Amino acid sequence: KPSVHLLYLLQMAIWIGTCFSHRFVEERHKDYVMMYVHHVVTIALVWGSYSYNYVRIGTVVLYLHDLSDIMVDLLKLTNYMKLEGPKGG
């Protein structure tokens, strides 16, 4: 379907953009290498599932991946801003 192709195109653009942003723009944190590997592996998995026509399971994995990234990003944000704990300290 064209909508699945568009989803894959958008996901690939997002992950390539975040990979370059992570490498060249963002401040380096202690989890820098792990996050960079995460971006590279995600790009490889999106490309692989599209290339080998595993788009049904790939779409489900992309959905679950994006859904879990919301919580992970919020937790990282609170950690970087030192907002953990009952009074933000």
Side-chain angles (χ1 to χ4, degrees), residues 8-20:
Y8 267 83
L9 180 66
L10 290 174
Q11 284 287 330
M12 186 62 86
I14 289 168
W15 284 107
I16 289 173
T18 57
C19 187
F20 278 108

Side-chain angles (χ1 to χ4, degrees), residues 3-57:
S3 59
V4 174
H5 295 287
L6 180 62
L7 172 71
Y8 267 83
L9 180 66
L10 290 174
Q11 284 287 330
M12 186 62 86
I14 289 168
W15 284 107
I16 289 173
T18 57
C19 187
F20 278 108
S21 169
H22 186 76
R23 174 71 173 96
F24 299 111
V25 177
E26 293 180 13
E27 181 181 333
R28 290 190 179 206
H29 297 281
K30 62 183 176 182
D31 64 346
Y32 171 80
V33 174
M34 185 62 70
M35 289 306 296
Y36 191 69
V37 169
H38 169 77
H39 293 316
V40 171
V41 169
T42 302
I43 290 168
L45 289 172
V46 171
W47 177 80
S49 71
Y50 186 78
S51 296
Y52 293 107
N53 202 25
Y54 289 114
V55 292
R56 283 188 176 177
I57 190 67

Side-chain angles (χ1 to χ4, degrees), residues 60-84:
V60 172
V61 170
L62 285 172
Y63 174 75
L64 293 173
H65 184 264
D66 287 347
L67 191 64
S68 67
D69 266 357
I70 294 169
M71 186 57 70
V72 171
D73 289 341
L74 287 173
L75 290 171
K76 286 176 68 82
L77 180 67
T78 59
N79 188 23
Y80 293 159
M81 296 177 68
K82 300 186 183 345
L83 296 176
E84 63 272 330

